Amino acid sequence: MAEWLDEAPYSALRILEKLQEMGFNGGYSTVNAYVSSRKMDLNEKAAVRFEKMPGKQGQMDWGFFEDHLVYEDGSWKKSYCFLMILGYSRIRYIEFVTDMSTNPPFRCHQNAFRFFGRIP
């Protein structure tokens, strides 16, 4: 469970779901207490900020909205968020998709580059 918190900021509810898939019979309050204590430890770690010159760097990440489904093409689908942030100006491009196959990530990158006017 500690590895899950180190690799991504999972919520206590999502960790409980993952544990239940593995046969865990405990309750939410137990998992939430552990996650809360671990997140306090993780928040105390120093964050090293690095600066880049204009146009030199952009960072992207995906978000998953586990509590929100989108009705599309006659069915309910999971909602994902593509986010790209330019390193110098911190300008953000955000796009929501319901498909994580190969094409949408490429399309999101192309749309972000078009939005920024270039490729960082």
Side-chain angles (χ1 to χ4, degrees):
M1 187 165 40
E3 302 85 36
W4 295 335
L5 290 171
D6 289 335
E7 71 185 38
Y10 286 113
S11 68
L13 182 59
R14 180 64 185 125
I15 289 178
L16 175 63
E17 290 171 350
K18 289 177 75 152
L19 289 171
Q20 287 173 337
E21 291 171 5
M22 298 167 63
F24 179 70
N25 292 324
Y28 174 78
S29 60
T30 303
V31 175
N32 189 45
Y34 176 77
V35 169
S36 295
S37 69
R38 282 286 293 139
K39 284 191 176 182
M40 287 174 41
D41 293 341
L42 292 172
N43 288 339
E44 289 179 7
K45 290 181 182 177
V48 177
R49 185 177 170 118
F50 58 96
E51 298 295 331
K52 295 291 182 184
M53 295 303 295
K56 294 294 181 183
Q57 184 249 357
Q59 294 182 11
M60 68 79 46
D61 200 1
W62 285 101
F64 169 55
F65 296 90
E66 57 191 83
D67 296 332
H68 301 284
L69 297 177
V70 176
Y71 192 75
E72 181 180 78
D73 299 328
S75 64
W76 290 98
K77 297 182 179 181
K78 295 177 181 178
S79 180
Y80 304 92
C81 175
F82 171 92
L83 169 66
M84 182 175 281
I85 302 174
L86 295 182
Y88 180 78
S89 65
R90 304 289 190 232
I91 294 174
R92 292 166 170 81
Y93 174 81
I94 299 172
E95 184 172 342
F96 293 91
V97 297
T98 57
D99 180 12
M100 288 294 291
S101 62
T102 305
N103 288 332
F106 286 125
R107 188 184 70 243
C108 288
H109 276 85
Q110 290 171 335
N111 292 341
F113 299 151
R114 213 174 353 266
F115 173 79
F116 295 132
R118 65 180 161 209
I119 298 172

